[in-house]
């Protein structure tokens, strides 16, 4: 006994010919932006195959500045000279302070603060080695002492006084060298402090008085009063060493 199945007919889209293969769709080209109208800029073109490799970048050239730079640096003044520090002048001024019986005022006509600052820092360092922290006290007392000597001298000289505050700072600072030596000797000879104090105080007083009288006008008339003011100043600094 057979059973019949209803099979729908097969319809081919090509007209019913089953031997005809289906047509393939050709691929479309990808999107390409329009080419640049300026051929002088090859790297702006998106057509990789049509433009050659860009050779517009040149090799950087490094110039040799060793020859010209050396001549320029040779013409430059030394760094200490640009800062206003004359080491030779500081050395000659220091040597003149070491001889209290032969004062050389011509070396101190040009005032500076480089040498006094070195002496004050050395004084503070020796005091620090003795267990005393006096850096701020030393700088403050030098400033007050310079103001004191400036006022006293110009009051004695009147309107003819030509001593300025900058020169006062320079002279008092350079004449601090014996007091610096006193602080150094006090580290090794603590018992003879009073005797050494008198010697070095008189040394500083004599040198400072001689320089002030020679460099400032109308100072010789009041040498005794100027010497007394200098004695008070250096006596005050010596007390830092002894006590």
């Amino acid at each position: 006994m057979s059973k019949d199945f209803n099979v729908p007919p097969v319809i081919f889209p090509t007209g019913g010919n089953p031997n005809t293969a289906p047509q393939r769709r050709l691929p479309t080209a990808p999107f390409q932006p329009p080419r640049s109208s300026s051929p002088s800029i090859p790297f702006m073109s998106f057509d990789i195959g049509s433009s050659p490799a860009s050779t517009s970048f040149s090799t950087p050239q490094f110039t040799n500045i060793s020859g010209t730079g050396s001549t320029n640096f040779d013409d430059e003044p030394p760094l200490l000279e640009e800062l206003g520090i004359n080491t030779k002048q500081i050395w000659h001024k220091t040597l003149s302070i070491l001889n209290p019986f032969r004062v050389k005022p011509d070396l101190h006509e040009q005032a500076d603060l480089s040498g006094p600052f070195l002496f004050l820092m050395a004084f503070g360092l020796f005091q620090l080695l003795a267990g005393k922290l006096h850096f701020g006290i030393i700088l403050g007392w030098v400033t007050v002492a310079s103001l004191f000597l400036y006022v006293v001298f110009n009051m004695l000289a009147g309107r003819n006084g030509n001593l300025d505050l900058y020169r006062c700072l320079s002279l008092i600072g350079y004449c601090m060298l014996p007091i610096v030596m006193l602080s150094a000797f006090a580290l090794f000879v603590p018992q003879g402090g009073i005797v050494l104090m008198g010697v070095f105080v008189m040394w500083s007083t004599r040198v400072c008085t001689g320089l002030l009288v020679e460099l400032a006008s109308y100072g010789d008339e009041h040498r005794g009063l100027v010497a007394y003011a200098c004695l008070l100043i250096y006596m005050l600094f010596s007390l830092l060493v002894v006590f």
Side-chain angles (χ1 to χ4, degrees):
M1 183 176 183
S2 62
K3 189 175 182 179
D4 296 331
F5 295 94
N6 294 325
V7 180
V10 179
I11 300 174
F12 298 96
T14 58
N17 189 2
N19 297 326
T20 303
Q23 297 179 358
R24 297 182 179 179
R25 180 179 295 179
L26 296 177
T28 58
F31 172 75
Q32 296 182 359
R35 297 182 181 179
S36 176
S37 60
S38 176
S40 62
I41 311 179
F43 59 86
M44 291 295 293
S45 175
F46 292 92
D47 194 356
I48 301 176
S50 61
S51 62
S54 174
T55 58
S56 60
F57 297 101
S58 60
T59 305
Q61 302 292 331
F62 298 97
T63 58
N64 186 11
I65 61 173
S66 59
T68 57
S70 60
T71 56
N72 293 334
F73 283 120
D74 291 339
D75 297 337
E76 291 290 333
L79 179 60
L80 293 178
E81 185 177 346
E82 289 184 355
L83 296 176
I85 301 175
N86 191 346
T87 55
K88 185 179 294 185
Q89 185 181 16
I90 293 173
W91 174 250
H92 289 314
K93 288 182 178 181
T94 305
L95 292 179
S96 67
I97 299 296
L98 293 177
N99 188 1
F101 301 102
R102 188 178 179 182
V103 182
K104 297 180 180 179
D106 55 332
L107 296 175
H108 295 267
E109 290 182 355
Q110 185 178 359
D112 69 280
L113 296 181
S114 303
F117 183 76
L118 292 177
F119 293 156
L120 294 178
M121 289 297 102
F123 184 31
L125 180 60
F126 288 132
Q127 291 293 96
L128 184 63
L129 293 177
K132 306 172 185 177
L133 188 59
H134 289 161
F135 285 101
I137 297 175
I138 292 170
L139 295 177
W141 283 8
V142 166
T143 305
V144 175
S146 301
L147 288 172
F148 168 71
L149 189 59
Y150 168 75
V151 172
V152 169
F153 190 90
N154 286 289
M155 287 181 63
L156 293 174
R159 296 182 179 180
N160 298 321
N162 60 349
L163 181 66
D164 55 346
L165 184 59
Y166 186 74
R167 178 165 292 180
C168 274
L169 281 169
S170 178
L171 292 179
I172 290 179
Y174 273 108
C175 294
M176 282 287 295
L177 180 60
I179 306 299
V180 176
M181 298 171 62
L182 172 63
S183 63
F185 288 143
L187 295 175
F188 305 99
V189 190
Q191 301 298 330
I194 302 297
V195 178
L196 289 175
M197 183 184 72
V199 173
F200 286 104
V201 166
M202 294 304 297
W203 183 356
S204 296
T205 301
R206 179 181 176 85
V207 175
C208 188
T209 303
L211 290 176
L212 283 172
V213 170
E214 293 294 334
L215 293 176
S217 301
Y218 299 94
D220 200 8
E221 302 175 1
H222 311 284
R223 180 183 289 267
L225 294 177
V226 173
Y228 178 69
C230 295
L231 178 66
L232 292 178
I233 292 173
Y234 294 109
M235 181 70 71
L236 184 65
F237 284 104
S238 64
L239 292 177
L240 290 177
V241 180
V242 178
F243 299 103

